[in-house]
Amino acid sequence: MKTTGTPRTVRAVRTPGGLSFRLDVRACTVVGLLLAAALAASVVLIGTGDFPMSASDVLGTLVGQGSQGQEFIVRELRLPRVLVGLLVGSCLGLGGALFQSISRNPLGSPDVLGLSQGATAGALTVIVLFSGSATAVTLGALAGGLVTGLALHLLAWKQGVHGYRLVLVGIGVSAVVTAVNGYLITKADFVDASRAVVWMTGSLGGRDWTQVRPLLALCVVLVPLVLTQARGLRMLEMGDDVSHALGVRVERVRLLLMGSAVLLVAAATAAAGPVSFVALTAPQLARRLTCSPGPNLLPSLCTGAALLVTADWAAQRAFGADQLPVGVVTGVLGGVYLLWLLVTERRAGRI
């Protein structure tokens, strides 16, 4: 995973307590611009719909200066959807960056490793076999993702979990789980099959505060935990032997970060369905924007959030009266990006 040769400005910052750390000016600038882009896209998305609103009306309503109708439309109907989009994109971007860094492979994405398919299998099991409620489907997707992540770790373990072994095992797990999903669809009646296909597309439609709160709580816990392990993760990219020599507890850090990544991706899939390719694309775009080596965790998180809300806006507005699920848009864009990435990696002799 090479970066461009653009010069980077790194400054040393010393706190009053005597602590010092390095500050990558370009990476910080990129994070700020991505956050601004995500927030701007969110405001535009909130104003999009059958009752259009200008950006000033949206901002005024958010600070309590809108009419009663505007308050209902923004706070109850559109704001939860946008927040779910931001949180799901953040979870997928961060989870994808973790898996790609742990596997040391740009193809080490939850989409390729089978985690998204595993969460889908859990949801389909609840829908097809038990005709479960929306809450039960969410819990089933979360359980499916966790079980798949555990299986992936156990099958890839051989004196540690190494990059290409993890990717190859993940491809095999993905194929098996995809076949299971196809079998479940064939066993469903018409109503359950239609419901399952809609869920499998990946969509932010109909999302409300019941999806926002658990996702927000998960991010509040896991994002700081993951960011505190950024140094250890960067050492892991150099190899286990070098990491050991530098004092990193390799297996403990790897297990902690893999567990966090599985939880992030499973929770995102449970909330919005299997939104394709955000976890694959966001870390690579963040790496190219920052021109910085290492995992780029925070830029990947911000890139994922900006990507998903922008894709949701495109899904609602770019096709006239027909509103597409956001998973269709990310699938098309991500598929094109995956083909480009495969060609690039082949030409570089890495696959």
Side-chain angles (χ1 to χ4, degrees):
M1 293 186 287
K2 293 183 178 180
T3 58
T4 63
T6 305
R8 296 164 53 219
T9 302
V10 180
R11 295 180 180 175
V13 178
R14 185 176 297 275
T15 65
L19 298 176
S20 62
F21 57 92
R22 296 190 306 165
L23 183 67
D24 190 324
V25 176
R26 182 185 176 102
C28 292
T29 303
V30 168
V31 167
L33 292 175
L34 287 171
L35 285 174
L39 293 176
S42 299
V43 171
V44 173
L45 184 56
I46 291 174
T48 300
D50 294 334
F51 183 80
M53 299 174 62
S54 66
S56 59
D57 288 338
V58 171
L59 294 174
T61 304
L62 289 174
V63 298
Q65 297 178 359
S67 66
Q68 186 175 359
Q70 290 175 329
E71 290 279 346
F72 176 77
I73 291 172
V74 170
R75 296 184 181 276
E76 298 300 325
L77 299 182
R78 297 180 182 175
L79 181 58
R81 174 184 180 135
V82 171
L83 291 178
V84 170
L86 290 171
L87 292 170
V88 167
S90 299
C91 289
L92 292 176
L94 183 57
L98 288 171
F99 273 112
Q100 290 181 23
S101 294
I102 291 171
S103 64
R104 300 195 292 276
N105 191 314
L107 296 178
S109 161
D111 305 291
V112 178
L113 299 179
L115 287 172
S116 298
Q117 293 86 340
T120 301
L124 289 181
T125 300
V126 173
I127 293 173
V128 174
L129 300 183
F130 304 103
S131 298
S133 64
T135 301
V137 171
T138 299
L139 294 176
L142 185 60
L146 294 177
V147 170
T148 304
L150 179 61
L152 185 64
H153 184 270
L154 293 176
L155 292 172
W157 175 270
K158 184 179 179 183
Q159 296 179 345
V161 177
H162 301 284
Y164 277 101
R165 186 187 306 135
L166 180 64
V167 173
L168 291 174
V169 170
I171 293 173
V173 169
S174 176
V176 171
V177 178
T178 300
V180 171
N181 292 342
Y183 171 77
L184 288 172
I185 289 292
T186 63
K187 301 298 290 184
D189 59 32
F190 179 77
V191 174
D192 287 339
S194 300
R195 182 183 173 197
V197 170
V198 170
W199 190 91
M200 290 172 62
T201 306
S203 174
L204 297 176
R207 297 309 184 262
D208 55 30
W209 291 105
T210 59
Q211 283 88 29
V212 174
R213 296 185 184 96
L215 265 179
L216 182 60
L218 184 76
C219 289
V220 167
V221 173
L222 288 184
V223 171
L225 176 64
V226 168
L227 294 180
T228 59
Q229 301 297 319
R231 177 184 175 276
L233 182 60
R234 187 164 184 171
M235 297 299 105
L236 287 180
E237 290 188 343
M238 300 180 185
D240 289 2
D241 293 337
V242 174
S243 301
H244 275 300
L246 293 173
V248 177
R249 302 179 67 175
V250 172
E251 292 308 325
R252 179 180 177 182
V253 172
R254 182 182 286 128
L255 184 61
L256 174 64
L257 293 177
M258 279 192 65
S260 299
V262 169
L263 278 172
L264 288 167
V265 173
T269 306
V275 181
S276 304
F277 290 116
V278 174
L280 172 70
T281 309
Q284 293 300 309
L285 291 178
R287 187 181 292 266
R288 284 163 173 77
L289 289 172
T290 62
C291 299
S292 175
N296 284 283
L297 297 180
L298 195 56
S300 298
L301 181 151
C302 298
T303 303
L307 271 177
L308 195 54
V309 293
T310 303
D312 193 36
W313 175 85
Q316 292 191 55
R317 301 300 297 172
F319 299 93
D322 298 325
Q323 293 188 12
L324 294 179
V326 68
V328 174
V329 177
T330 60
V332 171
L333 297 177
V336 173
Y337 179 81
L338 177 60
L339 292 175
W340 176 83
L341 181 62
L342 289 171
V343 171
T344 302
E345 291 292 303
R346 183 177 180 181
R347 288 178 177 174
R350 290 191 287 270
I351 58 174

